């Protein structure tokens, strides 16, 4: 497992311990972790997805909303809201631990990240990490 996705996985475990959807995110700049967060949507509302919280932490740390040269590692494929925040914050690349089970999500994410109407496109790569897949699958199995 990639060391940064491992950090994101640890964040997802924190979400799981709070009975939140287990998603974790880590933002890296020049090989240094500058922000990490886990999902807190049930506790704090819709804008508390791991990606949004990590982006806000990175913005505060860098004192700049432009997260140029930053990479995001996230355990689960971002939702469209988070994909929009990722592109707006100018993150250069996203490493995704596992795909969402929402079938249209991958197409939407690709469309947002590769949209030439924006001044910025986002590279992305699926890591197909087994641990990231299992944590989310097991969570929803228990809920259903």
């Amino acid at each position: 497992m990639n060391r940064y996705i491992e950090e994101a996985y640890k964040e997802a475990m924190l979400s799981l311990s709070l009975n939140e959807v287990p998603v974790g995110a880590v933002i890296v700049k020049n090989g240094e972790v500058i922000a990490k967060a886990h999902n807190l949507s049930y506790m704090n509302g819709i804008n508390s997805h791991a990606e949004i919280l990590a982006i806000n932490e990175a913005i505060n740390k860098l004192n700049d909303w432009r997260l140029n040269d930053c990479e995001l590692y996230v355990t689960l494929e971002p939702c469209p809201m988070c994909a929009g925040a990722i592109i707006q914050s100018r993150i250069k690349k996203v490493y995704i631990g596992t795909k969402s089970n929402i079938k249209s999500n991958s197409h939407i994410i690709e469309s947002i990240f590769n949209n030439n109407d924006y001044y910025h496109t986002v590279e992305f790569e699926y890591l197909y990490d087994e641990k990231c897949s299992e944590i989310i699958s097991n969570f929803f199995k228990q809920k259903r």
Side-chain angles (χ1 to χ4, degrees), residues 27 34-37 52-62:
I27 297 179
I34 61 166
K36 52 188 175 177
I52 302 287
L53 295 173
I55 288 168
N56 286 333
E57 184 178 321
I59 287 168
N60 288 334
K61 180 163 187 172
L62 297 177

Side-chain angles (χ1 to χ4, degrees), residues 27-34 62 66-71:
I27 297 179
V28 176
K29 184 170 185 175
N30 300 324
E32 177 190 348
V33 173
I34 61 166
L62 297 177
R66 294 171 204 87
L67 301 180
N68 297 323
D69 301 319
C70 289
E71 298 173 332

